[in-house]
Amino acid sequence: MTALEKATGDVVLKFEPFVLHVLCQELQDAQLLHSVAIESGFRNSGITVGRGGKIMMAVRSTHCLEVPLSHKGKLMVSEEYIEFLIHVANRKMEENT
């Protein structure tokens, strides 16, 4: 709260989702990992094949959060709401784990 009170610009609470990049030797390895990731709830996962044939599997979570808290130095939400957002972000972090 002290940092928010001193802010002169815009402040945003942002929680980034989990991302794991795995370099795979074979496409079938990436496909197997992709299936496991999707079945485990990582719905934004995908496979990328580079120009040189490099196969990259990205396991991505959908657990993101981005909420503006202040604008031009003016706090736009209550302390109670910020505490609620922190609880939500912490819960998302636990889900990522």
Side-chain angles (χ1 to χ4, degrees):
M1 289 309 298
T2 303
L4 280 173
E5 291 165 2
K6 293 179 182 178
T8 58
D10 294 352
V11 176
V12 175
L13 174 68
K14 188 170 185 179
F15 177 85
E16 294 285 339
F18 169 81
V19 178
L20 172 67
H21 291 101
V22 180
L23 183 61
C24 299
Q25 282 189 316
E26 303 290 333
L27 184 57
Q28 70 187 43
D29 299 330
Q31 290 170 327
L32 176 61
L33 182 56
H34 182 260
S35 295
V36 170
I38 296 296
E39 289 172 14
S40 297
F42 295 98
R43 296 185 304 269
N44 283 350
S45 299
I47 300 170
T48 304
V49 179
R51 290 183 210 157
K54 183 166 71 169
I55 303 165
M56 186 67 67
M57 169 57 207
V59 180
R60 294 188 196 101
S61 170
T62 58
H63 299 46
C64 60
L65 178 68
E66 187 169 354
V67 182
L69 302 177
S70 72
H71 179 64
K72 296 182 181 176
K74 181 182 178 200
L75 189 60
M76 304 300 288
V77 296
S78 69
E79 185 173 350
E80 180 183 359
Y81 185 66
I82 293 170
E83 290 173 8
F84 168 74
L85 289 175
I86 291 168
H87 174 75
V88 170
N90 285 337
R91 195 170 64 234
K92 288 177 180 291
M93 179 65 85
E94 290 172 10
E95 290 173 12
N96 273 342
T97 302

Coordinates of all heavy atoms in Angstrom, one line a residue:
M1 N 0.8 -1.2 0.0 CA 0.0 0.0 0.0 C 0.9 1.3 0.0 O 0.5 2.2 -0.6 CB -0.9 0.0 1.2 CG -2.1 -1.0 1.1 SD -3.0 -1.0 -0.4 CE -3.8 0.6 -0.4
T2 N 2.0 1.2 0.7 CA 2.9 2.4 0.8 C 3.4 2.7 -0.6 O 3.5 3.9 -1.0 CB 4.1 2.1 1.7 OG1 3.6 1.8 3.0 CG2 5.0 3.3 1.8
A3 N 3.8 1.7 -1.4 CA 4.3 1.9 -2.7 C 3.2 2.5 -3.6 O 3.5 3.3 -4.4 CB 4.8 0.6 -3.3
L4 N 2.0 2.0 -3.5 CA 0.9 2.5 -4.3 C 0.6 4.0 -4.0 O 0.3 4.7 -4.9 CB -0.4 1.7 -4.0 CG -0.5 0.4 -4.8 CD1 -1.7 -0.4 -4.3 CD2 -0.5 0.6 -6.3
E5 N 0.7 4.3 -2.7 CA 0.4 5.7 -2.3 C 1.5 6.7 -2.9 O 1.2 7.8 -3.1 CB 0.4 5.8 -0.8 CG -0.8 5.1 -0.2 CD -0.8 4.9 1.3 OE1 0.2 5.3 1.9 OE2 -1.7 4.3 1.8
K6 N 2.7 6.2 -3.1 CA 3.8 7.0 -3.6 C 3.8 7.0 -5.2 O 4.5 7.8 -5.7 CB 5.1 6.5 -3.1 CG 5.3 6.7 -1.6 CD 6.7 6.1 -1.2 CE 6.8 6.2 0.3 NZ 8.1 5.6 0.7
A7 N 3.1 6.2 -5.8 CA 3.1 6.0 -7.3 C 2.6 7.3 -7.9 O 1.6 7.9 -7.4 CB 2.3 4.8 -7.7
T8 N 3.2 7.7 -9.0 CA 2.7 8.9 -9.7 C 2.1 8.6 -11.1 O 1.5 9.4 -11.7 CB 3.9 9.9 -9.9 OG1 4.9 9.2 -10.6 CG2 4.4 10.4 -8.6
G9 N 2.3 7.4 -11.5 CA 1.8 6.9 -12.8 C 0.7 5.9 -12.7 O 0.0 5.8 -11.7
D10 N 0.7 5.0 -13.6 CA -0.3 3.9 -13.6 C 0.4 2.7 -13.0 O 1.6 2.4 -13.2 CB -0.7 3.5 -15.0 CG -1.5 4.6 -15.7 OD1 -1.8 5.6 -15.0 OD2 -1.8 4.5 -16.9
V11 N -0.3 2.0 -12.1 CA 0.1 0.7 -11.5 C -0.8 -0.4 -11.9 O -2.0 -0.2 -11.8 CB 0.2 0.9 -10.0 CG1 0.6 -0.4 -9.3 CG2 1.2 2.0 -9.6
V12 N -0.2 -1.5 -12.2 CA -1.0 -2.7 -12.6 C -0.5 -3.9 -11.9 O 0.7 -4.1 -11.8 CB -0.9 -2.9 -14.2 CG1 -1.6 -4.2 -14.5 CG2 -1.4 -1.8 -14.9
L13 N -1.4 -4.7 -11.3 CA -1.1 -6.0 -10.7 C -1.2 -7.0 -11.8 O -2.2 -7.2 -12.4 CB -2.0 -6.3 -9.6 CG -1.8 -7.7 -9.0 CD1 -0.5 -7.8 -8.2 CD2 -3.0 -8.1 -8.1
K14 N 0.0 -7.7 -12.1 CA 0.0 -8.6 -13.2 C 0.6 -9.9 -12.7 O 1.6 -10.0 -12.1 CB 0.9 -8.0 -14.3 CG 0.8 -8.8 -15.6 CD 1.5 -8.1 -16.7 CE 1.4 -8.8 -18.0 NZ 2.0 -8.1 -19.1
F15 N -0.1 -11.0 -13.0 CA 0.3 -12.3 -12.7 C 0.5 -13.1 -14.1 O -0.5 -13.1 -14.9 CB -0.7 -13.1 -11.9 CG -0.3 -14.5 -11.6 CD1 0.6 -14.8 -10.6 CD2 -0.8 -15.5 -12.4 CE1 0.9 -16.2 -10.4 CE2 -0.5 -16.8 -12.2 CZ 0.4 -17.2 -11.2
E16 N 1.7 -13.5 -14.4 CA 1.9 -14.2 -15.6 C 1.8 -15.7 -15.4 O 2.2 -16.3 -14.4 CB 3.4 -13.9 -16.1 CG 3.6 -12.5 -16.4 CD 3.1 -12.1 -17.8 OE1 2.8 -13.0 -18.6 OE2 2.9 -10.9 -18.0
P17 N 1.2 -16.4 -16.4 CA 1.0 -17.8 -16.3 C 2.3 -18.6 -16.5 O 3.3 -18.1 -17.0 CB 0.0 -18.1 -17.5 CG 0.3 -17.1 -18.5 CD 0.6 -15.8 -17.7
F18 N 2.3 -19.8 -16.0 CA 3.4 -20.8 -16.1 C 3.7 -21.1 -17.5 O 2.8 -21.3 -18.3 CB 3.0 -22.1 -15.4 CG 3.9 -23.2 -15.6 CD1 5.1 -23.3 -14.9 CD2 3.6 -24.2 -16.5 CE1 6.0 -24.3 -15.1 CE2 4.5 -25.2 -16.7 CZ 5.7 -25.3 -16.0
V19 N 5.0 -21.1 -17.9 CA 5.4 -21.5 -19.2 C 6.7 -22.4 -19.1 O 7.6 -22.0 -18.4 CB 5.8 -20.3 -20.1 CG1 6.3 -20.8 -21.5 CG2 4.6 -19.4 -20.3
L20 N 6.7 -23.5 -19.7 CA 7.8 -24.4 -19.7 C 8.1 -24.7 -21.2 O 7.3 -25.3 -21.9 CB 7.5 -25.7 -18.9 CG 8.6 -26.8 -19.0 CD1 9.9 -26.4 -18.3 CD2 8.0 -28.1 -18.4
H21 N 9.3 -24.4 -21.6 CA 9.8 -24.8 -23.0 C 10.6 -26.0 -22.9 O 11.6 -26.1 -22.2 CB 10.5 -23.6 -23.7 CG 9.7 -22.4 -24.0 ND1 9.7 -21.3 -23.2 CD2 8.8 -22.2 -25.0 CE1 8.8 -20.5 -23.7 NE2 8.3 -21.0 -24.7
V22 N 10.3 -27.0 -23.8 CA 11.1 -28.2 -23.8 C 11.5 -28.5 -25.3 O 10.7 -28.6 -26.2 CB 10.2 -29.4 -23.3 CG1 11.0 -30.7 -23.4 CG2 9.6 -29.2 -22.0
L23 N 12.8 -28.6 -25.4 CA 13.4 -29.0 -26.8 C 13.3 -30.5 -26.9 O 13.8 -31.2 -26.1 CB 14.8 -28.5 -26.8 CG 15.5 -28.7 -28.2 CD1 14.8 -28.0 -29.3 CD2 17.0 -28.3 -28.1
C24 N 12.6 -30.9 -28.0 CA 12.4 -32.4 -28.2 C 13.2 -32.9 -29.4 O 13.4 -32.2 -30.4 CB 10.9 -32.6 -28.5 SG 9.8 -32.1 -27.1
Q25 N 13.7 -34.1 -29.3 CA 14.5 -34.7 -30.4 C 13.6 -35.1 -31.5 O 14.0 -34.9 -32.7 CB 15.3 -35.9 -29.9 CG 16.5 -35.6 -29.1 CD 17.4 -36.8 -28.8 OE1 16.8 -37.8 -28.5 NE2 18.6 -36.6 -29.0
E26 N 12.4 -35.7 -31.2 CA 11.5 -36.2 -32.3 C 10.2 -35.5 -32.1 O 9.7 -35.2 -31.0 CB 11.4 -37.7 -32.1 CG 12.7 -38.5 -32.2 CD 13.3 -38.5 -33.6 OE1 12.6 -38.3 -34.6 OE2 14.6 -38.6 -33.7
L27 N 9.5 -35.4 -33.2 CA 8.1 -34.9 -33.2 C 7.2 -35.7 -32.4 O 6.3 -35.2 -31.6 CB 7.6 -34.8 -34.7 CG 6.2 -34.1 -34.8 CD1 6.2 -32.7 -34.2 CD2 5.8 -34.1 -36.3
Q28 N 7.3 -37.0 -32.4 CA 6.5 -37.9 -31.6 C 6.7 -37.6 -30.1 O 5.7 -37.8 -29.3 CB 6.7 -39.4 -31.9 CG 8.0 -39.9 -31.5 CD 8.2 -41.3 -32.0 OE1 7.9 -41.6 -33.2 NE2 8.7 -42.2 -31.2
D29 N 7.9 -37.3 -29.7 CA 8.1 -36.9 -28.3 C 7.4 -35.7 -27.9 O 6.7 -35.6 -26.9 CB 9.6 -36.7 -28.0 CG 10.5 -37.9 -28.3 OD1 10.0 -39.0 -28.1 OD2 11.6 -37.7 -28.7
A30 N 7.4 -34.7 -28.8 CA 6.7 -33.4 -28.6 C 5.1 -33.7 -28.5 O 4.4 -33.1 -27.7 CB 7.0 -32.4 -29.6
Q31 N 4.7 -34.5 -29.4 CA 3.2 -34.8 -29.5 C 2.8 -35.5 -28.2 O 1.7 -35.2 -27.7 CB 2.9 -35.7 -30.7 CG 3.1 -34.9 -32.0 CD 3.0 -35.8 -33.2 OE1 3.4 -37.0 -33.2 NE2 2.4 -35.3 -34.3
L32 N 3.6 -36.4 -27.7 CA 3.3 -37.1 -26.4 C 3.2 -36.1 -25.3 O 2.3 -36.1 -24.5 CB 4.3 -38.2 -26.1 CG 4.1 -39.0 -24.8 CD1 2.7 -39.7 -24.7 CD2 5.2 -40.0 -24.6
L33 N 4.2 -35.3 -25.2 CA 4.3 -34.3 -24.1 C 3.1 -33.3 -24.3 O 2.5 -32.9 -23.3 CB 5.6 -33.5 -24.2 CG 5.8 -32.4 -23.1 CD1 5.6 -33.0 -21.7 CD2 7.2 -31.8 -23.3
H34 N 2.7 -32.9 -25.5 CA 1.6 -32.1 -25.7 C 0.3 -32.7 -25.2 O -0.5 -32.0 -24.6 CB 1.5 -31.7 -27.2 CG 0.4 -30.8 -27.5 ND1 -0.8 -31.2 -28.0 CD2 0.3 -29.4 -27.4 CE1 -1.6 -30.2 -28.2 NE2 -1.0 -29.1 -27.8
S35 N 0.1 -34.0 -25.5 CA -1.1 -34.7 -25.0 C -1.2 -34.7 -23.5 O -2.2 -34.4 -22.9 CB -1.1 -36.1 -25.5 OG -1.2 -36.2 -26.9
V36 N 0.0 -35.0 -22.9 CA 0.0 -35.0 -21.4 C -0.3 -33.6 -20.9 O -1.0 -33.4 -19.9 CB 1.4 -35.5 -20.9 CG1 1.5 -35.3 -19.4 CG2 1.5 -37.0 -21.3
A37 N 0.3 -32.6 -21.5 CA 0.1 -31.2 -21.0 C -1.4 -30.8 -21.1 O -2.0 -30.2 -20.2 CB 0.9 -30.2 -21.8
I38 N -2.0 -31.1 -22.2 CA -3.4 -30.8 -22.5 C -4.3 -31.5 -21.5 O -5.2 -30.9 -20.8 CB -3.9 -31.1 -23.9 CG1 -3.1 -30.2 -24.9 CG2 -5.4 -30.9 -24.1 CD1 -3.4 -28.7 -24.8
E39 N -4.1 -32.8 -21.3 CA -4.8 -33.6 -20.3 C -4.7 -33.1 -18.9 O -5.5 -33.3 -18.0 CB -4.5 -35.1 -20.4 CG -4.9 -35.7 -21.7 CD -4.4 -37.1 -21.9 OE1 -3.9 -37.7 -21.0 OE2 -4.5 -37.6 -23.1
S40 N -3.5 -32.5 -18.6 CA -3.2 -32.0 -17.3 C -3.8 -30.6 -17.0 O -3.6 -30.0 -16.0 CB -1.7 -31.9 -17.0 OG -1.2 -33.3 -17.1
G41 N -4.5 -30.0 -18.1 CA -5.1 -28.7 -17.9 C -4.3 -27.5 -18.5 O -4.8 -26.4 -18.3
F42 N -3.2 -27.8 -19.1 CA -2.4 -26.7 -19.7 C -2.9 -26.5 -21.2 O -2.2 -26.9 -22.1 CB -0.9 -27.0 -19.6 CG -0.4 -27.1 -18.2 CD1 -0.3 -28.3 -17.6 CD2 -0.1 -25.9 -17.5 CE1 0.2 -28.3 -16.3 CE2 0.3 -25.9 -16.2 CZ 0.5 -27.2 -15.6
R43 N -4.0 -25.8 -21.3 CA -4.7 -25.7 -22.6 C -4.1 -24.8 -23.6 O -4.4 -24.9 -24.8 CB -6.2 -25.2 -22.3 CG -7.0 -26.2 -21.5 CD -8.4 -25.8 -21.4 NE -8.6 -24.4 -20.8 CZ -8.7 -24.2 -19.5 NH1 -8.8 -25.1 -18.7 NH2 -8.9 -22.9 -19.1
N44 N -3.2 -24.0 -23.2 CA -2.5 -23.1 -24.2 C -1.2 -23.7 -24.7 O -0.4 -23.0 -25.2 CB -2.2 -21.7 -23.6 CG -3.5 -20.9 -23.5 OD1 -4.5 -21.2 -24.1 ND2 -3.4 -19.8 -22.8
S45 N -1.0 -25.0 -24.5 CA 0.3 -25.6 -24.9 C 0.3 -25.8 -26.4 O -0.7 -25.8 -27.0 CB 0.4 -27.0 -24.2 OG 0.4 -26.8 -22.8
G46 N 1.6 -25.9 -26.9 CA 1.7 -26.1 -28.4 C 3.1 -26.5 -28.8 O 4.0 -26.5 -28.0
I47 N 3.2 -26.9 -30.0 CA 4.4 -27.4 -30.6 C 4.8 -26.4 -31.7 O 4.0 -26.0 -32.5 CB 4.2 -28.8 -31.2 CG1 3.8 -29.8 -30.1 CG2 5.5 -29.3 -31.9 CD1 3.4 -31.1 -30.6
T48 N 6.1 -26.1 -31.8 CA 6.7 -25.2 -32.8 C 7.8 -26.0 -33.4 O 8.7 -26.5 -32.7 CB 7.2 -23.9 -32.2 OG1 6.1 -23.3 -31.6 CG2 7.7 -23.0 -33.3
V49 N 7.9 -26.0 -34.8 CA 9.0 -26.5 -35.5 C 9.7 -25.4 -36.2 O 9.1 -24.7 -37.1 CB 8.6 -27.6 -36.5 CG1 9.8 -28.2 -37.2 CG2 7.8 -28.7 -35.8
G50 N 11.0 -25.2 -35.9 CA 11.7 -24.1 -36.5 C 12.2 -24.4 -37.8 O 12.2 -25.5 -38.3
R51 N 12.8 -23.4 -38.5 CA 13.4 -23.6 -39.9 C 14.4 -24.7 -39.9 O 14.5 -25.4 -40.9 CB 14.0 -22.3 -40.4 CG 13.0 -21.2 -40.7 CD 13.6 -20.0 -41.2 NE 12.8 -18.9 -40.8 CZ 13.3 -17.6 -40.8 NH1 14.5 -17.4 -41.1 NH2 12.5 -16.7 -40.4
G52 N 15.3 -24.7 -38.9 CA 16.3 -25.7 -38.9 C 15.9 -27.1 -38.4 O 16.7 -28.0 -38.2
G53 N 14.6 -27.3 -38.2 CA 14.0 -28.5 -37.7 C 14.0 -28.7 -36.2 O 13.6 -29.8 -35.7
K54 N 14.3 -27.6 -35.5 CA 14.3 -27.7 -34.0 C 12.8 -27.8 -33.6 O 12.0 -27.0 -34.0 CB 14.9 -26.4 -33.5 CG 15.0 -26.4 -32.0 CD 16.0 -25.4 -31.4 CE 15.4 -24.0 -31.6 NZ 16.2 -23.0 -30.9
I55 N 12.5 -28.8 -32.7 CA 11.2 -29.0 -32.3 C 11.0 -28.5 -30.8 O 11.7 -29.1 -30.0 CB 10.8 -30.5 -32.4 CG1 11.0 -31.0 -33.8 CG2 9.4 -30.8 -31.9 CD1 11.0 -32.5 -33.9
M56 N 10.2 -27.6 -30.6 CA 10.0 -27.0 -29.3 C 8.6 -27.2 -28.8 O 7.6 -26.9 -29.5 CB 10.3 -25.5 -29.3 CG 10.3 -24.8 -28.0 SD 11.6 -25.3 -26.9 CE 13.0 -24.6 -27.8
M57 N 8.4 -27.8 -27.7 CA 7.1 -28.0 -27.0 C 7.0 -26.9 -25.9 O 7.9 -26.8 -25.1 CB 7.1 -29.4 -26.5 CG 5.9 -29.7 -25.6 SD 4.3 -29.4 -26.4 CE 3.4 -29.1 -24.9
A58 N 5.9 -26.2 -25.9 CA 5.7 -25.2 -24.9 C 4.5 -25.6 -24.1 O 3.4 -25.8 -24.6 CB 5.5 -23.8 -25.5
V59 N 4.7 -25.8 -22.8 CA 3.6 -26.1 -21.8 C 3.2 -24.8 -21.2 O 4.0 -24.1 -20.6 CB 4.1 -27.1 -20.7 CG1 3.0 -27.4 -19.8 CG2 4.6 -28.4 -21.4
R60 N 2.0 -24.4 -21.5 CA 1.5 -23.1 -21.0 C 0.2 -23.2 -20.2 O -0.7 -23.8 -20.7 CB 1.3 -22.1 -22.2 CG 2.5 -21.8 -23.0 CD 2.2 -20.7 -24.0 NE 3.2 -20.6 -25.0 CZ 3.2 -21.1 -26.2 NH1 2.1 -21.8 -26.6 NH2 4.2 -21.0 -27.0
S61 N 0.2 -22.5 -19.1 CA -1.0 -22.4 -18.3 C -1.9 -21.2 -18.8 O -1.4 -20.3 -19.5 CB -0.6 -22.1 -16.9 OG -1.7 -21.8 -16.1
T62 N -3.2 -21.2 -18.4 CA -4.1 -20.2 -18.8 C -4.3 -19.2 -17.6 O -5.2 -18.3 -17.7 CB -5.4 -20.7 -19.2 OG1 -6.0 -21.5 -18.2 CG2 -5.3 -21.6 -20.5
H63 N -3.6 -19.4 -16.5 CA -3.8 -18.7 -15.2 C -3.2 -17.3 -15.3 O -2.0 -17.2 -14.8 CB -3.3 -19.5 -14.1 CG -3.9 -20.8 -13.9 ND1 -4.2 -21.7 -14.9 CD2 -4.4 -21.4 -12.8 CE1 -4.7 -22.8 -14.4 NE2 -4.9 -22.7 -13.2
C64 N -3.8 -16.4 -15.8 CA -3.2 -15.0 -15.9 C -4.1 -14.0 -15.2 O -5.3 -14.3 -15.0 CB -2.9 -14.6 -17.3 SG -4.3 -14.5 -18.4
L65 N -3.6 -12.9 -14.9 CA -4.3 -11.9 -14.2 C -3.7 -10.5 -14.5 O -2.4 -10.4 -14.3 CB -4.4 -12.1 -12.7 CG -5.1 -11.2 -11.8 CD1 -6.6 -11.2 -12.0 CD2 -4.8 -11.5 -10.3
E66 N -4.4 -9.5 -14.9 CA -3.9 -8.2 -15.1 C -4.9 -7.2 -14.7 O -6.0 -7.1 -15.4 CB -3.4 -8.0 -16.6 CG -2.7 -6.7 -16.8 CD -2.1 -6.6 -18.1 OE1 -2.1 -7.6 -18.9 OE2 -1.6 -5.5 -18.5
V67 N -4.7 -6.4 -13.6 CA -5.7 -5.5 -13.1 C -5.1 -4.2 -12.8 O -4.1 -4.1 -12.1 CB -6.3 -6.1 -11.8 CG1 -7.4 -5.2 -11.3 CG2 -6.8 -7.5 -12.0
P68 N -5.6 -3.1 -13.4 CA -5.1 -1.8 -13.1 C -5.5 -1.4 -11.6 O -6.6 -1.7 -11.2 CB -5.8 -0.8 -14.0 CG -6.8 -1.6 -14.8 CD -6.7 -3.1 -14.4
L69 N -4.5 -0.8 -10.9 CA -4.8 -0.4 -9.5 C -4.8 1.1 -9.3 O -5.6 1.6 -8.5 CB -3.7 -1.0 -8.6 CG -3.6 -2.5 -8.6 CD1 -2.4 -2.9 -7.7 CD2 -4.8 -3.2 -8.2
S70 N -4.0 1.8 -10.1 CA -4.0 3.3 -10.0 C -3.8 3.9 -11.4 O -3.3 3.2 -12.3 CB -2.9 3.8 -9.1 OG -1.6 3.6 -9.7
H71 N -4.3 5.1 -11.6 CA -4.2 5.8 -12.8 C -3.7 7.2 -12.6 O -4.3 8.0 -11.8 CB -5.5 5.8 -13.6 CG -5.5 6.5 -14.9 ND1 -4.7 6.1 -15.9 CD2 -6.1 7.6 -15.3 CE1 -4.9 6.9 -16.9 NE2 -5.7 7.9 -16.6
K72 N -2.6 7.6 -13.2 CA -2.0 8.9 -13.0 C -1.8 9.2 -11.5 O -2.1 10.3 -11.0 CB -2.8 10.0 -13.7 CG -2.8 9.8 -15.2 CD -3.6 10.9 -15.8 CE -3.6 10.7 -17.4 NZ -4.4 11.7 -18.0
G73 N -1.4 8.2 -10.7 CA -1.1 8.4 -9.3 C -2.3 8.3 -8.4 O -2.2 8.4 -7.2
K74 N -3.5 8.2 -9.0 CA -4.7 8.1 -8.1 C -5.1 6.6 -8.0 O -5.3 5.9 -9.0 CB -5.9 8.9 -8.8 CG -7.1 8.8 -8.0 CD -8.3 9.5 -8.6 CE -9.5 9.4 -7.8 NZ -10.7 9.6 -8.5
L75 N -5.2 6.2 -6.7 CA -5.6 4.8 -6.4 C -7.1 4.6 -6.9 O -7.9 5.4 -6.4 CB -5.4 4.5 -4.9 CG -5.6 3.1 -4.5 CD1 -4.6 2.1 -5.2 CD2 -5.5 3.0 -3.0
M76 N -7.3 3.6 -7.7 CA -8.7 3.4 -8.2 C -9.5 2.3 -7.5 O -10.6 2.1 -7.9 CB -8.5 3.0 -9.7 CG -7.8 4.1 -10.5 SD -8.5 5.7 -10.5 CE -9.9 5.5 -11.5
V77 N -8.8 1.6 -6.6 CA -9.5 0.5 -5.9 C -9.2 0.6 -4.4 O -8.3 1.3 -4.0 CB -9.0 -0.9 -6.4 CG1 -9.4 -1.1 -7.9 CG2 -7.5 -1.0 -6.3
S78 N -10.0 -0.1 -3.6 CA -9.8 -0.1 -2.2 C -8.7 -1.1 -1.7 O -8.3 -2.0 -2.5 CB -11.1 -0.5 -1.5 OG -11.4 -1.9 -1.7
E79 N -8.2 -0.9 -0.5 CA -7.2 -1.8 0.1 C -7.8 -3.2 0.2 O -7.1 -4.2 0.0 CB -6.8 -1.3 1.4 CG -5.6 -2.1 2.0 CD -5.1 -1.5 3.3 OE1 -5.4 -0.4 3.6 OE2 -4.3 -2.2 3.9
E80 N -9.1 -3.3 0.5 CA -9.8 -4.6 0.6 C -9.7 -5.3 -0.7 O -9.5 -6.5 -0.8 CB -11.2 -4.4 1.1 CG -12.0 -5.6 1.2 CD -13.5 -5.4 1.6 OE1 -13.8 -4.2 1.8 OE2 -14.2 -6.4 1.7
Y81 N -10.0 -4.6 -1.8 CA -10.0 -5.2 -3.1 C -8.5 -5.7 -3.5 O -8.4 -6.8 -4.1 CB -10.5 -4.2 -4.2 CG -10.6 -4.9 -5.6 CD1 -11.5 -5.9 -5.8 CD2 -9.8 -4.5 -6.6 CE1 -11.7 -6.5 -7.0 CE2 -9.9 -5.0 -7.9 CZ -10.8 -6.1 -8.1 OH -10.9 -6.7 -9.3
I82 N -7.5 -4.9 -3.1 CA -6.1 -5.3 -3.4 C -5.8 -6.6 -2.6 O -5.2 -7.5 -3.2 CB -5.2 -4.2 -3.1 CG1 -5.4 -3.0 -4.0 CG2 -3.7 -4.7 -3.1 CD1 -4.6 -1.7 -3.7
E83 N -6.3 -6.7 -1.4 CA -6.1 -7.9 -0.6 C -6.7 -9.1 -1.3 O -6.2 -10.2 -1.3 CB -6.6 -7.7 0.8 CG -5.7 -6.8 1.6 CD -6.3 -6.5 3.0 OE1 -7.3 -7.1 3.4 OE2 -5.7 -5.6 3.7
F84 N -7.9 -8.9 -1.8 CA -8.7 -9.9 -2.6 C -7.9 -10.3 -3.8 O -7.7 -11.5 -4.1 CB -10.1 -9.4 -3.0 CG -10.7 -10.3 -3.9 CD1 -11.3 -11.5 -3.6 CD2 -10.9 -9.9 -5.3 CE1 -11.9 -12.4 -4.5 CE2 -11.5 -10.8 -6.2 CZ -12.0 -12.0 -5.8
L85 N -7.3 -9.4 -4.6 CA -6.6 -9.7 -5.8 C -5.3 -10.5 -5.4 O -4.9 -11.4 -6.1 CB -6.2 -8.4 -6.5 CG -7.3 -7.7 -7.2 CD1 -6.7 -6.4 -7.8 CD2 -7.9 -8.5 -8.3
I86 N -4.7 -10.1 -4.3 CA -3.5 -10.9 -3.9 C -3.8 -12.3 -3.6 O -3.1 -13.3 -4.0 CB -2.8 -10.2 -2.7 CG1 -2.2 -8.9 -3.2 CG2 -1.7 -11.1 -2.1 CD1 -1.7 -8.0 -2.0
H87 N -5.0 -12.5 -2.9 CA -5.5 -13.9 -2.6 C -5.7 -14.6 -4.0 O -5.3 -15.8 -4.1 CB -6.8 -13.8 -1.8 CG -7.4 -15.1 -1.6 ND1 -6.9 -16.1 -0.7 CD2 -8.5 -15.7 -2.1 CE1 -7.6 -17.2 -0.7 NE2 -8.6 -17.0 -1.6
V88 N -6.3 -14.0 -4.9 CA -6.6 -14.6 -6.2 C -5.3 -15.0 -6.9 O -5.1 -16.1 -7.4 CB -7.5 -13.7 -7.1 CG1 -7.5 -14.2 -8.5 CG2 -8.9 -13.6 -6.5
A89 N -4.3 -14.1 -6.9 CA -3.0 -14.3 -7.6 C -2.3 -15.5 -6.9 O -1.7 -16.3 -7.6 CB -2.2 -13.0 -7.6
N90 N -2.3 -15.5 -5.6 CA -1.7 -16.6 -4.8 C -2.3 -17.9 -5.1 O -1.6 -18.9 -5.3 CB -1.7 -16.3 -3.3 CG -0.7 -15.2 -3.0 OD1 0.3 -15.0 -3.7 ND2 -0.9 -14.6 -1.8
R91 N -3.6 -17.9 -5.3 CA -4.3 -19.2 -5.6 C -3.9 -19.6 -7.0 O -3.7 -20.8 -7.3 CB -5.9 -19.0 -5.5 CG -6.6 -20.3 -5.5 CD -8.1 -20.1 -5.2 NE -8.8 -19.3 -6.2 CZ -9.5 -18.2 -5.9 NH1 -9.6 -17.8 -4.7 NH2 -10.1 -17.5 -6.9
K92 N -3.8 -18.7 -7.9 CA -3.4 -19.1 -9.3 C -1.9 -19.6 -9.3 O -1.6 -20.5 -10.0 CB -3.4 -17.8 -10.2 CG -4.9 -17.4 -10.6 CD -4.9 -16.2 -11.4 CE -6.3 -15.8 -11.8 NZ -7.0 -16.7 -12.7
M93 N -1.1 -19.1 -8.4 CA 0.3 -19.6 -8.3 C 0.2 -21.0 -7.8 O 1.0 -21.9 -8.3 CB 1.1 -18.7 -7.3 CG 2.5 -19.2 -7.1 SD 3.5 -19.1 -8.6 CE 4.0 -17.4 -8.5
E94 N -0.6 -21.3 -6.8 CA -0.7 -22.7 -6.3 C -1.3 -23.6 -7.4 O -0.8 -24.7 -7.5 CB -1.7 -22.7 -5.1 CG -1.1 -22.1 -3.9 CD -2.1 -21.9 -2.8 OE1 -3.2 -22.5 -2.9 OE2 -1.8 -21.2 -1.8
E95 N -2.2 -23.1 -8.2 CA -2.7 -24.0 -9.4 C -1.6 -24.2 -10.4 O -1.5 -25.3 -10.9 CB -3.9 -23.3 -10.0 CG -5.1 -23.2 -9.1 CD -6.3 -22.4 -9.7 OE1 -6.2 -22.0 -10.9 OE2 -7.2 -22.2 -9.0
N96 N -0.7 -23.2 -10.6 CA 0.4 -23.4 -11.5 C 1.3 -24.6 -11.0 O 1.8 -25.4 -11.8 CB 1.3 -22.2 -11.6 CG 0.8 -21.2 -12.7 OD1 0.0 -21.6 -13.6 ND2 1.2 -20.0 -12.7
T97 N 1.5 -24.6 -9.7 CA 2.4 -25.6 -9.1 C 1.8 -27.0 -9.3 O 2.4 -27.9 -9.7 CB 2.6 -25.3 -7.6 OG1 3.1 -24.0 -7.4 CG2 3.5 -26.3 -7.0

